[in-house]
Amino acid sequence: MLRIGVAPHRLWPAREEEVDGVLATARTAEELGFDHVFASGHAVAGDSGVTPDPLVTLAAVAGATERIGLVTSILVLPLYNTIVLAHQAATLDRLSGGRFTLGVGTGWDASEFAAVGVPFAGRGRRMDEQLGTVRKLWRGEGEARLGVLPRTEGGPQVWVGGGSDAALRRALRYGDAWHGAGLDAAGLTAVRERLDGLAEGTGRDPGTLALTTGAFLVPPGFAPSVPVPGRPLGGADPSAESVRDELGALAEAGLAACSLWLLVSTDELPDALGWVADEILPHFAKD
């Protein structure tokens, strides 16, 4: 079984109005049987268009839905105060009934760090410290006690992104899953092999670390709304069969969850969701 999720807005919306429908889209995704919705975000505007705050977005989605999972993919953890972030995540996990997953990365935009007033250098080391602290806070350990503890015992799942050796070690030490982007089955297998080689000294059996990824999809019959930023799922000229085949190969290579960015216009997003629900989801349904 492969869990398939979707973003509640198109990739890189150009105008604020294009994210106004995220709650309706999330409800549609739930009705159609998607496993989760995910949200990424940057604190300041950049070349990637409009990006609403991921925690606020998912909190709103939680109140508008009942079942569907909620994932940050990704939240730039070093931009946040550790205790405040741990409290926000715990609150969202509790109020959503344990549906929240915290997907995190170190970030890459130095100008964003400057705008927030956080050092860009050393962000990886800081993130390691943050993840260790967040885990303790969720367990109710440490000198500070969060105002609200999570509903999920030990805290929500954590997906750790990044392709460097340091990021893979970070996933082994602190993550429930490693989270990539745009990988095919061969690339996913290579990541698993790297994790096996890097696991020594982390205290972790690498086989217990799940593999997840984001993917870019332009369904057949739709025009891309923006240039495809990575490998398109199903190839440059995808069909239902080629998308199913690639997802099947990824699942056989050990992929646990795939989060879809749909590169279609905002007006076409409901139809694109419907295509995925009709042509793809039934082939990867939950047992």
Side-chain angles (χ1 to χ4, degrees), residues 10-160:
R10 75 168 177 94
L11 181 66
W12 302 342
R15 306 180 310 279
E16 275 77 6
E17 311 89 78
E18 292 188 79
V19 302
D20 289 347
V22 295
L23 300 186
T25 302
R27 285 191 291 265
T28 297
E30 181 172 71
E31 292 166 1
L32 291 173
F34 285 87
D35 175 79
H36 60 277
V37 292
F38 67 97
S40 64
H42 295 281
V44 296
D47 295 337
S48 56
V50 175
T51 53
D53 180 87
L55 290 173
V56 173
T57 298
L58 293 177
V61 169
T65 58
E66 297 180 355
R67 173 201 59 81
I68 200 162
L70 315 163
V71 181
T72 56
S73 173
I74 59 171
L75 177 144
V76 182
L77 185 57
L79 292 176
Y80 288 76
N81 175 280
T82 306
I83 292 178
V84 172
L85 183 279
H87 188 215
Q88 290 174 314
T91 302
L92 181 49
D93 181 73
R94 175 156 292 279
L95 296 184
S96 68
R99 290 189 277 153
F100 180 55
T101 295
L102 179 65
V104 294
T106 57
W108 53 268
D109 187 349
S111 65
E112 182 176 27
F113 280 74
V116 178
V118 174
F120 185 70
R123 65 196 186 281
R125 182 175 63 255
R126 182 183 178 210
M127 183 164 154
D128 288 340
E129 296 171 353
Q130 287 179 290
L131 287 171
T133 299
V134 164
R135 290 288 201 186
K136 290 180 180 178
L137 290 167
W138 285 343
R139 295 193 298 265
E141 301 172 359
E143 294 183 5
R145 187 189 188 281
L146 296 178
V148 170
L149 291 177
R151 182 180 297 269
T152 304
E153 185 177 356
Q157 286 209 345
V158 175
W159 294 359
V160 179

